[in-house]
Amino acid sequence: MSLHITAQLFEDDLRRLLTELLPSTVDLDPFGADAGRRWIRFEAPQNVDFMAKQGLRVRTSAALQWTALGIKVPVTLNEVTLLIEPMIGEDERGPKLVFRTRIEQADFRLMPTFVDQAITSRINAALEAEGDLLGWHVGETLLQKIPMPKNLKPVDAFQMQAGPVSVEVQEDCFTLRLEVQLKFSRNRQDEPVSVAEVNVPADAGTEPPSKV
C-alpha cells in the first residue's frame, strides 16, 4: 500500500525562510590552510523570484574576504545573484531533497576576469557542499518500524519507507511529491497453523469396509 503526499512551499513562506537564513557566512576553505581567512557573507535578500523549471533567483549583496600571498584582501560585492535549485539526490539511505546554490552573477568590477572566475568557482563549490548539508533526507526520515502490542499476534510491526520523490519549481511555489510505502510485518513463528497444514493420515477417521 502506498500513501501519496503533495507539499507546497509558497513564495511568502520562502521569503520569510530566506530572511531567517540570511545574513550568513560561508567559510571557503574550512579544512585548508586558509580556514577562517577566506569567507563570504551574504546579506539579507533584496529581491526573490521564482524561475519555473529552474529554481529560486535571489538578489543580494555580499562581503568577501580573500587571501593573496598570505595577505587578507576584503572585497565588497554590491550586487550578487544566487540561483537556488531544489533537486532529489539518492544514497544508500534513500532519496534526499537538496538545495544546490550557485552564484549566477557577482560584481567583481575591480578584479581581473581570471581572478573573478577562480573565486566564483571556489565559492560555488563551497555553496554546493553547504546545500547538500542543508538538505532533507527524506529516505531516512520516513524509514520507520513501529512495534505492535505484544498481545496482537502474529502482527509484528508497522513499517514505512520512502518511495519515489520529485520536486518541481513552479511560478509561485516549490512542489514536493512523495510516495510513502506502508505495510505490516508478521512474525512467522506466531502464525496459527491452518487445518490444511496439519498432517492427517489418509485413512484417519474412516471405518474399514464391512464384510458381508
Side-chain angles (χ1 to χ4, degrees):
M1 174 182 174
S2 295
L3 176 66
H4 297 268
I5 300 175
T6 299
Q8 292 182 308
L9 185 62
F10 288 92
E11 186 171 352
D12 290 343
D13 297 323
L14 199 50
R15 288 177 187 273
R16 185 168 60 253
L17 285 174
L18 285 173
T19 301
E20 295 171 355
L21 177 64
L22 301 175
S24 60
T25 301
V26 178
D27 194 327
L28 301 178
D29 192 18
F31 306 109
D34 286 307
R37 292 162 53 90
R38 287 183 173 181
W39 49 262
I40 185 167
R41 183 179 68 251
F42 295 102
E43 303 299 341
Q46 300 167 359
N47 190 52
V48 179
D49 292 314
F50 278 90
M51 309 300 295
K53 308 297 182 182
Q54 297 183 51
L56 191 71
R57 181 167 287 146
V58 180
R59 291 180 175 85
T60 183
S61 59
L64 169 70
Q65 180 172 281
W66 199 248
T67 55
L69 301 175
I71 301 173
K72 297 178 182 179
V73 181
V75 180
T76 299
L77 303 174
N78 294 319
E79 297 179 7
V80 178
T81 302
L82 301 171
L83 183 65
I84 303 174
E85 300 175 271
M87 57 185 64
I88 303 299
E90 187 90 19
D91 61 19
E92 68 280 358
R93 294 176 293 174
K96 180 180 181 180
L97 172 65
V98 298
F99 294 90
R100 293 289 172 85
T101 303
R102 62 184 175 86
I103 290 181
E104 275 195 325
Q105 185 275 333
D107 180 20
F108 288 100
R109 295 178 185 176
L110 301 179
M111 290 188 176
T113 301
F114 73 93
V115 176
D116 172 351
Q117 293 174 345
I119 294 176
T120 300
S121 178
R122 176 68 68 87
I123 294 172
N124 283 339
L127 291 175
E128 181 176 343
E130 291 295 326
D132 287 346
L133 293 176
L134 284 173
W136 173 32
H137 211 301
V138 183
E140 189 173 58
T141 301
L142 296 179
L143 185 60
Q144 301 289 333
K145 184 176 182 180
I146 304 171
M148 291 289 99
K150 292 183 179 180
N151 61 346
L152 183 62
K153 296 180 179 181
V155 181
D156 179 61
F158 173 70
Q159 298 182 23
M160 56 188 287
Q161 66 180 32
V165 181
S166 66
V167 63
E168 180 183 3
V169 182
Q170 297 171 301
E171 293 182 354
D172 61 347
C173 68
F174 287 158
T175 299
L176 178 69
R177 297 181 177 89
L178 59 95
E179 177 183 317
V180 185
Q181 298 171 353
L182 310 173
K183 73 173 185 177
F184 286 101
S185 61
R186 301 172 71 89
N187 187 339
R188 296 304 176 187
Q189 294 180 347
D190 293 332
E191 288 281 5
V193 179
S194 65
V195 175
E197 293 176 337
V198 178
N199 294 322
V200 180
D203 58 349
T206 60
E207 295 291 337
S210 59
K211 297 181 179 180
V212 179

